[in-house]
Amino acid sequence: MTRTTAAAQDSGPGPIPLDAPIFVAGHRGLVGSALLRRLGEAGYTNVLTVGRDEVDLRLQVQVTEWFERNRPQYVYLAAGTVGGVMANSTRQAEFLYDNMMIHATVVEASRAVGVSKLLYLGSSCIYPRNADQPIEESALLTGPLEPTNEGYAVAKIAGIKLCQFYREQHGCNFISAMPTNLYGPGDNFDLEASHVIPALIRKFHEAKNTGQATVEIWGSGTPRREFLHVDDLASACVFLMNSYSGSDHVNVGTGVDVTIRELAETIAKVVYPEAELKFDSSRPDGMPRKVLDITRLRNLGWEPSIPLSEGVQSTYEWFAQNYDRGELRGV
Ligand code: GFB
């Protein structure tokens, strides 16, 4: 194996050819579908996907066989079992098992067929519950995790380490991006399993339709969160795939956070301004605050471009157009 210098590794092999075979794992999810849109806009012509009916990404044999047949050269690893604070806290075994397996099989198959570069997507929940805010990448593994998403976070941390160790031991150019809380078109709008933005968009919409005066917001309304539109994340991923090849993971966010009460007010303004907010303290708050330090990404040359109010407006438009389709209502 030829060793390259740290600087050369950080800048990577240069732009990805537009006709290179690129695999997007998890293409039906919020992130994967945004990646397909972004890669299409950017002119990539050979984007590969596979449905879960064809390949169970938790099964190494199936994944390796698919890689051997399709020979992707670049991989975006956006597949996983995901959900909001409630789904995470009540299905920790599933979140840990599924994600650990999916990361392991795709990383190993990528090594086995000699993939040139893989981008692994983690989550900001990898950081300790009491990390200093905004959270720098160096906060990883410096303290105990938020208990409501410990299973998911442990799987995501294992994924980062896996990429780093494959780099060290096998010379693989595998990089990791850590997105903050995401939202956008194609999200999961199931009220028990979803994240806060899709849940509130749906709750305000249904309350408006039925003339209900109050809308229930989980928890105290005081936790602080940072929200990134998924199209901004997809843009950052394509940017990193083309320009970054370091071993350290890179935070992807906006660097700006709001309270859940402020978020609810922003969504109410777009969907149903007359609604009254009612806070349900029997539901979990989760992390008290989660906002990423995005200095590393900024220094590499990328900035987010979609403000929260604009992103909520366009996501609501997408939701309203698609609401009649049964799957958005979990039926
Ligand atoms: O989006 P969410 O589930 O993600 O919740 P987390 C964020 C905050 O919104 C919490 C509050 O304080 C919730 O209590 N919230 C208010 C609501 N109303 C609602 C509602 O109707 N639905 C939901 N879901 N929340 C997840 C982690 O945590 O974030 C995952 O569990 C992952 O591991 C993901 O990292 C990004 O930020 O709390």
Side-chain angles (χ1 to χ4, degrees):
M1 188 184 75
T2 323
R3 289 233 165 257
T4 48
T5 64
Q9 273 195 353
D10 274 9
S11 60
I16 312 301
L18 290 177
D19 61 352
I22 300 174
F23 176 41
V24 175
H27 69 287
R28 294 208 175 107
L30 173 68
V31 175
S33 54
L35 276 167
L36 292 192
R37 289 194 296 274
R38 180 72 197 144
L39 290 167
E41 283 161 14
Y44 292 93
T45 55
N46 195 1
V47 179
L48 311 171
T49 59
V50 64
R52 66 176 70 192
D53 41 325
E54 235 182 298
V55 173
D56 182 339
L57 291 176
R58 296 170 302 181
L59 301 178
Q60 188 71 65
V61 173
Q62 290 190 12
V63 176
T64 303
E65 265 174 23
W66 187 87
F67 268 71
E68 280 168 354
R69 259 185 288 121
N70 293 278
R71 298 268 153 193
Q73 213 181 326
Y74 296 89
V75 174
Y76 288 92
L77 178 37
T81 294
V82 300
V85 64
M86 204 65 201
N88 261 275
S89 60
T90 52
R91 291 160 46 203
Q92 301 235 28
E94 192 185 331
F95 275 63
L96 178 51
Y97 178 82
D98 285 1
N99 290 305
M100 224 168 37
M101 298 305 283
I102 290 169
H103 307 157
T105 60
V106 175
V107 165
E108 168 56 18
S110 297
R111 179 205 63 77
V113 306
V115 160
S116 303
K117 191 165 180 182
L118 173 147
L119 184 145
Y120 166 72
L121 279 147
S123 161
S124 59
C125 70
I126 58 164
Y127 294 115
R129 175 179 164 84
N130 294 319
D132 287 344
Q133 309 279 335
I135 312 175
E136 292 177 11
E137 286 88 350
S138 58
L140 182 64
L141 292 173
T142 56
L145 297 164
E146 157 62 34
T148 55
N149 59 212
E150 196 176 0
Y152 183 65
V154 166
K156 288 287 171 188
I157 294 170
I160 301 174
K161 290 292 172 191
L162 202 62
C163 291
Q164 288 174 345
F165 291 138
Y166 268 65
R167 169 183 294 274
E168 281 173 26
Q169 188 179 339
H170 301 300
C172 298
N173 189 2
F174 294 172
I175 61 170
S176 299
M178 293 307 116
T180 192
N181 287 36
L182 302 169
Y183 70 99
D187 210 339
N188 172 7
F189 287 83
D190 175 281
L191 289 182
E192 286 301 315
S194 72
H195 290 100
V196 60
I197 291 189
L200 294 191
I201 284 180
R202 179 170 167 183
K203 285 186 197 175
F204 281 106
H205 182 75
E206 290 181 344
K208 183 175 70 174
N209 283 354
T210 57
Q212 188 188 309
T214 57
V215 170
E216 187 194 89
I217 317 292
W218 291 359
S220 61
T222 58
R224 299 187 70 90
R225 293 286 185 279
E226 173 193 24
F227 296 99
L228 181 72
H229 192 282
V230 73
D231 288 346
D232 265 342
L233 173 69
S235 144
C237 289
V238 174
F239 170 81
L240 288 169
M241 185 65 114
N242 276 286
S243 58
Y244 179 73
S245 289
S247 130
D248 292 333
H249 61 283
V250 180
N251 286 344
V252 185
T254 62
V256 177
D257 62 344
V258 293
T259 64
I260 294 302
R261 177 186 284 277
E262 287 163 346
L263 172 74
E265 287 165 356
T266 302
I267 297 175
K269 212 161 135 192
V270 170
V271 183
Y272 181 23
E274 299 77 25
E276 277 171 45
L277 312 185
K278 188 172 152 233
F279 290 90
D280 176 1
S281 57
S282 70
R283 296 289 194 157
D285 267 342
M287 283 269 275
R289 189 176 181 204
K290 216 174 4 170
V291 58
L292 296 177
D293 181 306
I294 58 164
T295 309
R296 179 174 289 167
L297 185 57
R298 279 214 164 100
N299 288 343
L300 289 166
W302 186 89
E303 290 278 343
S305 69
I306 306 173
L308 182 61
S309 55
E310 218 175 88
V312 164
Q313 175 74 47
S314 59
T315 303
Y316 177 55
E317 283 162 18
W318 183 91
F319 169 81
Q321 277 166 17
N322 288 278
Y323 183 68
D324 287 342
R325 291 207 332 249
E327 67 258 36
L328 279 190
R329 283 173 283 141
V331 294

